[in-house]
Amino acid sequence: MQIIIKGAKGFDIYETHKEYIEKRFRKFEKRVKEPASLEFAFHHTHSTRANIDKRIHLTFKMAGMKCAEHLEELSEHFPESIDLLQKRFDNFLRRYREKTINRSRSSKITKVRKTVK
């Protein structure tokens, strides 16, 4: 699995954030089909009064998927955004796996029904 980390509009990313992303998302390597890529884009907008301006965009592509999956989180600090993204990505992979399992089961059921008739 390839992990790409970028900063939007020349925004520099600390090595600690890069290492944290690697640590949090490498555990999903066993659950995705290769070739797969995760692309993170860091944004620091300076736009809200509550300092909730650290945004991370995640674009995920995997073999067998027709469209890329886009996830986005916004929080006060980048590690919080990374944690929220990790939870959402885990939920996405679980739902995607369930859909593929259900599709394969439903095709077997229809084949059995056709042979029984």
Side-chain angles (χ1 to χ4, degrees), residues 39-91:
E39 184 175 323
F40 295 90
F42 282 67
H43 299 274
H44 190 199
T45 57
H46 299 289
S47 62
T48 63
R49 289 181 175 221
N51 287 332
I52 301 174
D53 56 355
K54 309 301 192 288
R55 177 174 302 184
I56 300 177
H57 292 274
L58 168 63
T59 305
F60 173 64
K61 296 179 185 177
M62 180 174 65
M65 289 179 63
K66 294 180 182 177
C67 299
E69 181 69 22
H70 300 282
L71 302 173
E72 176 182 338
E73 282 298 333
L74 180 70
S75 69
E76 194 171 338
H77 301 287
F78 281 122
E80 290 175 29
S81 296
I82 294 168
D83 291 340
L84 292 170
L85 264 179
Q86 187 252 335
K87 289 177 186 174
R88 284 188 62 198
F89 186 68
D90 187 27
N91 287 337

